[in-house]
């Protein structure tokens, strides 16, 4: 998988965000193992140390747990905690900017096509 990394954040942070997005989608499910560092490094074409840093950041946030000799596993409740964290970050950081942009353009909620994205 070729991922376009950018200069806005360190690659390990971008990978951690990408993996967190997959966790939000339920991949892998809670209690299941994550792919190995080597598998992820090969998949994303990056250094295994970068992958290790990304996984460690997800461990530090409580979304993964290391199991000695077995690898990293998705913690129970990780998706709910991640969803709560992502919602809080969106409402704190992104929504005010988006709301102001919509106001400037004169757009109302009724102007937006919310569609059925489920």
């Amino acid at each position: 998988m070729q991922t376009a990394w950018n200069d806005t954040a360190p690659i390990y942070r971008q990978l951690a965000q990408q993996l967190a997005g997959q966790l939000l989608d339920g991949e892998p499910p809670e209690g299941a193992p994550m792919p190995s560092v080597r598998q992820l490094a090969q998949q994303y074409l990056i250094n295994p140390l970068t992958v290790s840093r990304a996984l460690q950041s997800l461990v530090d946030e409580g979304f993964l747990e290391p199991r000695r000799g077995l690898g990293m596993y998705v913690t129970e409740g990780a998706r709910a905690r991640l969803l709560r964290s992502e919602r809080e970050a969106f409402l704190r950081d992104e929504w005010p900017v988006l709301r102001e942009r919509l106001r400037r353009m004169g757009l109302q909620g009724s102007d937006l096509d919310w569609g059925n994205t489920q």
Side-chain angles (χ1 to χ4, degrees), residues 34-96:
M34 289 293 291
S36 72
V37 169
R38 283 188 178 154
Q39 288 172 318
L40 290 170
Q42 187 174 28
Q43 179 181 347
Y44 290 99
L45 303 174
I46 57 177
N47 189 303
L49 292 175
T50 302
V51 173
S52 293
R53 265 185 98 179
L55 292 173
Q56 185 59 50
S57 72
L58 294 173
V59 168
D60 294 345
E61 295 177 56
F63 305 129
L64 299 179
E65 64 178 351
R67 295 187 186 168
R68 189 172 197 91
L70 298 175
M72 300 283 182
Y73 282 74
V74 181
T75 59
E76 295 298 325
R79 186 176 185 282
R81 287 191 312 279
L82 187 55
L83 185 57
R84 187 172 43 254
S85 171
E86 289 290 312
R87 285 178 176 172
E88 289 171 3
F90 173 79
L91 291 173
R92 180 187 64 242
D93 303 331
E94 297 177 48
W95 176 241

